[in-house]
Amino acid sequence: MVSDGGTNFDLDGDGSIDLLAGNLAHGGQPQSRVLHNQGLDKDYVFEDRESSGIMCQESYASPTLGDCDDDDDLDLFFFAVYGGARGHLFRNNGAGQFAQTTDEAGVGNVRNSCQAAWGDYDNDGDLDLFAGGRLFRNSGNKDNWLKVKLQGTGNVNSSAIGAVVRIQLGEKHSRGRSKAAAAVAT
């Protein structure tokens, strides 16, 4: 399998890093795949979960992950790079499967884009999507959220870039890494 972009993430909140290999698959080629990390008890062996509900589209490129529905499971936006194809949003159900929710979320008109990113543009606690040169504002939900402002010591790394925030609620783990002055744990 030749990947046109991949990412690592925690598919099911078990604290182990899983892999998603995005594939710009032509007919008869392997599709995008989710590789689930079995954790310490199984020597960190990866289980091939195949597509995990991610439909095949020939022009998929790099996947972008973010928790767009604030359920503590990372959701997936896959953009399409050619042929008039559109990007797709897949919601993670928390059990290792994704469901396509592109039209429901109002992001079905992103076409021929080579970039997408999640971020809380309006500082309201939910992730908004930047794709195809446009901002798609997330209208949110009723869930709670936590904003963390990290501050380093001294004058070398006062923004705490690289700091890791780990939160555990019961068996669920959440982790965020500071890449700028503030980090949002999702």
Side-chain angles (χ1 to χ4, degrees):
M1 176 177 171
V2 177
S3 178
D4 190 29
T7 191
N8 59 61
F9 68 115
D10 188 356
L11 175 68
D12 54 4
D14 65 359
S16 296
I17 300 299
D18 308 304
L19 303 173
L20 172 65
N23 195 22
L24 194 145
H26 299 286
Q29 293 179 332
Q31 297 178 17
S32 300
R33 302 190 94 66
V34 174
L35 303 171
H36 182 255
N37 187 334
Q38 298 297 296
L40 177 62
D41 294 343
K42 296 193 178 176
D43 296 324
Y44 300 104
V45 171
F46 286 88
E47 172 192 15
D48 186 349
R49 295 268 182 100
E50 299 183 357
S51 68
S52 294
I54 301 167
M55 66 182 225
C56 180
Q57 179 169 295
E58 187 172 335
S59 63
Y60 281 152
S62 297
T64 305
L65 292 157
D67 184 9
C68 68
D69 54 4
D70 248 356
D71 64 356
D72 209 25
D73 299 313
L74 291 175
D75 307 303
L76 165 69
F77 183 79
F78 237 141
F79 55 86
V81 294
Y82 65 83
R86 66 186 193 151
H88 289 278
L89 176 65
F90 297 92
R91 294 238 168 103
N92 183 340
N93 71 2
Q97 290 290 312
F98 291 89
Q100 198 269 115
T101 59
T102 307
D103 293 328
E104 172 189 323
V107 296
N109 55 355
V110 177
R111 297 183 185 278
N112 298 341
S113 177
C114 291
Q115 50 74 32
W118 296 98
D120 187 5
Y121 170 77
D122 50 7
N123 202 27
D124 64 354
D126 55 39
L127 292 180
D128 307 300
L129 178 66
F130 300 85
R134 298 191 336 255
L135 168 66
F136 295 89
R137 188 178 174 277
N138 188 343
S139 60
N141 56 48
K142 63 184 181 333
D143 291 340
N144 297 318
W145 57 282
L146 172 68
K147 180 177 179 179
V148 178
K149 181 177 181 181
L150 302 174
Q151 185 171 358
T153 58
N155 57 9
V156 175
N157 189 11
S158 61
S159 297
I161 294 173
V164 175
V165 175
R166 291 187 180 139
I167 300 169
Q168 181 174 347
L169 298 170
E171 295 298 314
K172 277 290 223 194
H173 298 265
S174 191
R175 176 181 167 185
R177 179 173 298 276
S178 175
K179 296 178 185 173
V184 177
T186 58

